[in-house]
Amino acid sequence: MNKKENENLETEEVVEEQVVEPEEELVEEQAAEPEEEPVVIDPIKVLEDERDGFKDKWMRAAAETENVRKRGRRDVQDSRTFAVADMARDLLEVLDNFDRALLVEDDSAIRAGVEMTAGSLKNMLASRGIKKIDVKVGDEFDPNKHEAVARFKSEEVESNCIVDVVQNGYNMGELVLRAARVAVAE
């Protein structure tokens, strides 16, 4: 035998010694572990659960879509309302100037023209839902629709009641465009 064959024989002997029977180890491991019952998965139940999950997601998406539509409509309406409100506030100053012009006692044609123009402006504002806030002397002061510009002692009206209307207020629906400026009794 030559040297190479001798080495091969020695290696084979070492390999034969290290070979372990795998079947014996498996039998020992299986004997140590208790047998578990196999889990039975019902494919119909799995599909029903999956269907219910998709249905829930679909319903939530549909509800969210409807909420977005409603919010969009409300935002568009609010934008229109506030755009009209800004324009109306500017026109109220013009209306105030017409009212001041009409305080002058004059029977000329100019006065008649101012009256017609002021009436036309008032009609246009009313057609847009803009109305004068009804304020009378003796009404109780309401900070939601009145702005106190002065306080006076008065024996004619009770405390915290309106003594005089300095400037008319206007609202558009529930929105107060301009609070009525009033003098209030102390």
Side-chain angles (χ1 to χ4, degrees), residues 77-95:
Q77 183 62 36
D78 288 348
S79 295
R80 288 180 183 157
T81 299
F82 290 116
V84 169
D86 286 341
M87 182 267 318
R89 283 186 188 102
D90 294 338
L91 287 177
L92 292 177
E93 295 300 322
V94 174
L95 183 60

Side-chain angles (χ1 to χ4, degrees), residues 5-127:
E5 289 176 1
N6 194 14
E7 286 177 11
N8 284 340
L9 282 176
E10 288 175 8
T11 311
E12 286 178 10
E13 290 174 6
V14 172
V15 171
E16 286 178 9
E17 290 175 10
Q18 293 177 355
V19 173
V20 180
E21 295 293 324
E23 291 178 16
E24 293 175 11
E25 285 181 13
L26 280 176
V27 171
E28 290 174 7
E29 286 178 15
Q30 288 176 354
E33 294 178 10
E35 289 188 30
E36 294 180 19
E37 292 185 29
V39 177
V40 178
I41 299 174
D42 183 10
I44 294 175
K45 176 68 174 152
V46 170
L47 291 174
E48 286 175 345
D49 290 344
E50 188 176 347
R51 178 203 60 200
D52 292 345
F54 286 135
K55 183 178 179 183
D56 183 59
K57 288 178 183 177
W58 174 77
M59 290 176 67
R60 289 177 187 275
E64 181 63 25
T65 301
E66 184 61 28
N67 288 341
V68 167
R69 283 187 189 129
K70 287 178 183 177
R71 190 175 0 186
R73 284 188 216 118
R74 185 176 55 240
D75 288 348
V76 167
Q77 183 62 36
D78 288 348
S79 295
R80 288 180 183 157
T81 299
F82 290 116
V84 169
D86 286 341
M87 182 267 318
R89 283 186 188 102
D90 294 338
L91 287 177
L92 292 177
E93 295 300 322
V94 174
L95 183 60
D96 289 339
N97 289 333
F98 280 124
D99 288 341
R100 285 186 204 103
L102 292 174
L103 292 176
V104 176
E105 294 293 326
D106 187 10
D107 289 333
S108 70
I110 294 175
R111 179 178 175 82
V114 170
E115 286 175 349
M116 286 179 18
T117 306
S120 176
L121 182 57
K122 287 177 184 178
N123 290 337
M124 185 272 305
L125 291 173
S127 71

